């Protein structure tokens, strides 16, 4: 079963650094406490190590957790990008809004060629519909 392997929070927009934490509070309809996206329409981003590994193979270099600025990294799985599908992270439920397309910042935060390598492999964005605490090690379910 998939589980949460990393949580990365950035208090400010690019180029503010991303910090790794062991847990974060998720508030329904708001986002992750302390993160730059709190209160935004797209409140949370989730990527899997499976997707990062596939993108790294295309890139020819490792893509470390957090370097893509996705807040949650899970151990495995390919995401449905279908709006309205849900992902459960422990007790927290996220409604998927769609693909989290890589942006130009990837060229700096990951390295040259990263944006192209991450197309359709940069995870999903969504809205928190049931809040709680997300912890590293929490089980992940695709609903």
């Amino acid at each position: 079963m998939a589980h949460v392997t990393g949580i990365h929070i950035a208090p400010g927009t690019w180029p503010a650094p991303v910090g790794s934490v062991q847990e974060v509070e998720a508030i329904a309809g708001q986002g992750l406490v302390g993160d730059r996206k709190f209160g935004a329409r797209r409140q949370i981003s989730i990527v899997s190590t499976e997707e990062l590994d596939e993108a790294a193979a295309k890139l020819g270099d490792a893509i470390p957790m957090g370097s893509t600025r996705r807040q949650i990294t899970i151990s495995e799985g390919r995401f449905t990008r279908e709006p309205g599908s849900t992902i459960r992270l422990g007790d927290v439920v996220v409604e998927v809004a769609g693909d989290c397309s890589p942006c130009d910042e990837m060229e700096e935060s990951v390295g040259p060629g990263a944006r192209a390598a991450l197309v359709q492999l940069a995870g999903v964005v969504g809205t928190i519909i049931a809040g709680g605490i997300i912890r590293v090690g929490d089980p992940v379910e695709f609903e």
Side-chain angles (χ1 to χ4, degrees), residues 5-8 47 49 52 63-70 73-74:
T5 58
I7 303 170
H8 295 87
V47 69
T49 56
L52 292 177
I63 300 178
M65 277 193 305
S67 65
T68 62
R69 301 180 68 81
R70 302 307 182 250
T73 305
I74 66 170

Side-chain angles (χ1 to χ4, degrees), residues 42 44 46 79-85 95-101 123-127:
R42 294 180 170 193
I44 188 169
I46 307 166
F79 298 99
T80 176
R81 267 89 171 145
E82 185 66 33
S85 60
E95 182 177 319
V96 173
D99 187 58
C100 190
S101 300
V124 296
V125 294
T127 302

